[in-house]
Amino acid sequence: MTIALTSAGSKDLSTAVANAISSQHQWHLSYLKVANAHAISQGEGVLVAVPDSGVAPHPDLSDNLVPGTDVIPGGSGNGLSDQDGHGTGMAGLIAADRKDHARGALGIAPKAKILPIYASPTHQDGTSEALAKGIEFAISHHAQVISISAAGGADTQLQRAIRSAINADIVVVAAAGNASKSPLVGYPASEPGVLAVGGSDQRGNHAAVSVTGPEIDVVAPAVDIYSTGLNGGYRVGTGTSDATAIVAGAAALIRSKYPHLPAQEVAHRLTATAIDKGPPGRDDEYGYGVIDLVAALTADVPPLGFESTGVTAPASTATGPDTGDGGSTARGLATLGVLLAVGGGYLVWRRRRRADDPPPRMSR
């Protein structure tokens, strides 16, 4: 069974072009207030597995790559080669540390470590068997986050591997998929317990490239995303692949800041603090909304199941990304995904989809 990596398109950049456009094409950094988030956490002590097309050595990743593995023939033997560029781009979005400030790329969690896994020869197709083996390797090497920028169908081996990762207390982040490939949310994003990621554009609106569906949990920037590329260069990509790597970086920030927080509570922080977009509450385009790094790291988020006790929680004052929609105060309240309770000044947190929506399809 084939699994497609979820970049709708990407292009490698010449040195001159990279110098000219690096700042404008890292728009997602200012949009997500990454500098503010990095004052709180940079992902120290967290290992993120990237089962993909491998990860090529790159100056902006030199401090953060650890030897991985090849689960298919044709690589370097340790995951540290990439003929396609997709995996290198995803690794950079997670953990690049911008050695060259003029044109370098900066990841969401620049002090996290990347475990590269060569599981797909190109950004077009891999196999569910190879992805399953890559996930099994990540589990055995104690990854705390697995970033899966791929979507496709489910088979027994891949389902077993994903569920094993969830049971091992790993945050599994997966791309919902691109509309050009399929109108449905792909696997493993459709698996309960996996954080399913859709895409947004520069204004925080739904990205046309992203599929929609009841399985989507959150969205993140997915259009014209600048990151590390082959031969020490850079690339600009569009697709839910990029959004997924960004959310995986966010999960690494949370795991670093809250090292004893269970994986599902890490995911809960991201959904509970997301900036609500579209119709009020969860919807099929945005899930619970656009991720808010600062709120996810600082908000007083009651644990899953808290709302069933009937107790209310104090409001947080954390602010969200620059949404480009006028900075509405009403939207700011939606950052915490909450409803005002009787008595004022207190908020009741919404429940995550996994608890109150029908279970998603297991396969396509």
Side-chain angles (χ1 to χ4, degrees), residues 36-360:
N36 294 342
H38 285 174
I40 303 164
S41 173
Q42 295 189 31
E44 299 93 332
V46 177
L47 180 65
V48 182
V50 180
D52 209 290
S53 60
V55 179
H58 191 285
D60 292 345
L61 289 167
S62 60
D63 294 335
N64 297 333
L65 282 176
V66 302
T69 192
D70 298 352
V71 296
I72 58 174
S76 61
N78 58 6
L80 294 173
S81 65
D82 182 2
Q83 299 301 310
D84 180 76
H86 189 274
T88 303
M90 300 309 104
L93 289 172
I94 297 166
D97 62 4
R98 195 159 59 187
K99 293 289 194 301
D100 181 347
H101 286 269
R103 69 186 186 107
L106 181 65
I108 301 298
K111 292 187 178 178
K113 300 296 184 184
I114 296 292
L115 181 68
I117 300 169
Y118 178 49
S120 177
T122 75
H123 73 280
Q124 296 297 325
D125 290 301
T127 67
S128 55
E129 178 184 8
L131 181 56
K133 289 180 178 178
I135 292 164
E136 290 164 358
F137 180 85
I139 296 169
S140 69
H141 284 69
H142 310 292
Q144 290 132 294
V145 179
I146 301 177
S147 181
I148 305 174
S149 289
D155 62 19
T156 300
Q157 183 178 3
L158 181 55
Q159 288 177 335
R160 185 184 303 115
I162 291 292
R163 292 168 189 172
S164 294
I166 293 168
N167 290 336
D169 193 39
I170 298 171
V171 180
V172 182
V173 185
N178 296 331
S180 61
K181 298 288 186 181
S182 169
L184 303 174
V185 173
Y187 195 87
S190 59
E191 173 73 26
V194 171
L195 193 61
V197 181
S200 58
D201 64 16
Q202 289 93 331
R203 296 185 61 83
N205 297 323
H206 172 71
V209 69
S210 177
V211 301
T212 64
E215 301 90 348
I216 290 177
D217 289 307
V218 292
V219 298
V223 177
D224 292 337
I225 306 299
Y226 182 96
S227 186
T228 45
L230 297 179
N231 303 313
Y234 297 90
R235 70 190 286 276
V236 171
T238 290
T240 55
S241 278
D242 303 83
T244 298
I246 288 169
V247 174
L253 295 182
I254 297 170
R255 298 224 89 163
S256 179
K257 174 86 173 356
Y258 303 101
H260 302 297
L261 199 65
Q264 287 301 296
E265 294 291 347
V266 173
H268 176 51
R269 272 194 165 267
L270 287 165
T271 58
T273 58
I275 297 174
D276 195 11
K277 301 285 289 187
R282 204 221 145 265
D283 65 79
D284 288 357
E285 283 191 332
Y286 299 96
Y288 287 114
V290 182
I291 61 165
D292 183 334
L293 299 180
V294 176
L297 290 167
T298 61
D300 185 11
V301 180
L304 284 166
F306 180 90
E307 68 278 4
S308 65
T309 67
V311 180
T312 55
S316 167
T317 58
T319 58
D322 177 4
T323 63
D325 61 3
S328 165
T329 300
R331 279 291 188 201
L333 288 176
T335 298
L336 300 181
V338 295
L339 298 173
L340 286 173
V342 176
Y346 290 88
L347 301 166
V348 179
W349 292 69
R350 66 174 174 235
R351 292 173 292 179
R352 295 190 68 227
R353 166 177 62 80
R354 302 306 188 197
D356 53 6
D357 283 2

